[in-house]
Amino acid sequence: MILEWWNDIVDWFNSDAGWTFITNALVPFLAIVVGGIIVGLIARSSLRRLIGHQDRQAKAAAVAALISSGRRAATWSTLSAGEKEHVDYLASEAEVRVRLLPLKGADIAADWASHKLAAMKKNSVNYSFQAEQDLAELQEGLLNWQARPGRAKKLFAQDLASWKYETGEAEDELVVKQQEWASRQAAEGTTTTTSTPSSASTSGSEATPTVAITPDRD
């Protein structure tokens, strides 16, 4: 049964009606389908290249804004109040732009850059060389992240973990110093309270007059 159907189909394709259907209907239909698939693939590839180009431009602009803010932060102590406010605004805007990038490690890169900017502001007062070194590290780190996000993400995470550990140790040391200071103050207060009644009693006894009793001669 199946063999008979197959023979009928082959005979029909070999007939004039079959060839007419193939040349006038089937071949054009297949050509249209294949052409549509090719056009769709080309359009998809072009769209992906366009989106990738826009992402690279957005990433480069955000990184450049952070580096520019870093240059101003390196001279933070010489800026006026208005300039400092403007730099803070630009740095915050650049940080948000980095966080919004659809790239791996964007949040970690923004946190890392924010810590570097804060360090540069702090070191710009007395340690200008350290601020310049932080600026170089900021620029190098962000450029490496732009080129290889995966590798730079690991380095940023290690730096953030190290800074968090150092900050925790510093806070613990500060708490210990505060406790020691409170203990000394409490001890000094107790000593002062104890010595005050003793001094008062001593001074009272010294101030008591001595009365001499004279015999009556009558």
Side-chain angles (χ1 to χ4, degrees), residues 2 7 31 40 57 81 97 102 135 154 160 166-167 173 209:
I2 298 176
N7 291 330
Q57 284 185 334
R97 289 167 62 184
L135 174 60
K154 295 179 180 178
L160 289 173
E166 292 175 358
T167 303
E173 184 178 357

Side-chain angles (χ1 to χ4, degrees), residues 40-203:
L41 293 175
I42 294 174
R44 181 182 179 184
S45 178
S46 300
L47 183 61
R48 290 180 64 181
R49 285 198 299 269
L50 178 61
I51 294 175
H53 179 67
Q54 291 178 347
D55 289 343
R56 287 192 296 271
Q57 284 185 334
K59 185 177 180 181
V63 169
L66 280 177
I67 294 175
S68 178
S69 300
R71 292 195 181 99
R72 303 299 300 276
T75 58
W76 184 258
S77 60
T78 62
L79 300 179
S80 63
E83 290 176 332
K84 290 179 179 180
E85 183 178 357
H86 182 64
V87 172
D88 282 337
Y89 172 77
L90 294 179
S92 299
E93 184 179 5
E95 182 181 344
V96 172
R97 289 167 62 184
V98 170
R99 293 184 186 277
L100 293 177
L101 291 175
L103 298 172
K104 181 169 58 177
D107 289 338
I108 295 179
D111 292 338
W112 184 85
S114 177
H115 188 280
K116 280 294 184 182
L117 290 175
M120 278 188 282
K121 292 177 184 179
K122 180 180 179 181
N123 295 328
S124 66
V125 180
N126 298 321
Y127 304 99
S128 59
F129 174 76
Q130 182 62 40
E132 292 294 334
Q133 185 176 358
D134 289 336
L135 174 60
E137 292 178 356
L138 174 71
Q139 181 173 347
E140 182 180 359
L142 291 177
L143 292 178
N144 289 335
W145 174 70
Q146 184 179 7
R148 290 178 290 184
R151 181 178 180 182
K153 177 185 176 181
K154 295 179 180 178
L155 297 177
F156 290 166
Q158 292 175 0
D159 288 343
L160 289 173
S162 176
W163 293 333
K164 184 178 181 180
Y165 177 76
E166 292 175 358
T167 303
E169 282 191 339
E171 291 178 352
D172 293 340
E173 184 178 357
L174 179 61
V175 170
V176 172
K177 289 182 178 180
Q178 289 177 346
Q179 292 176 349
E180 292 177 352
W181 179 83
S183 299
R184 288 196 301 269
Q185 292 296 320
E188 292 176 359
T190 304
T191 304
T192 303
T193 305
T194 305
S195 59
T196 299
S198 176
S199 300
S201 60
T202 303
S203 59

Side-chain angles (χ1 to χ4, degrees), residues 16-54:
D16 294 337
W19 278 107
T20 302
F21 172 77
I22 293 173
T23 56
N24 295 336
L26 185 59
V27 172
F29 174 75
L30 292 177
I32 292 173
V33 171
V34 173
I37 293 174
I38 294 174
V39 171
L41 293 175
I42 294 174
R44 181 182 179 184
S45 178
S46 300
L47 183 61
R48 290 180 64 181
R49 285 198 299 269
L50 178 61
I51 294 175
H53 179 67
Q54 291 178 347

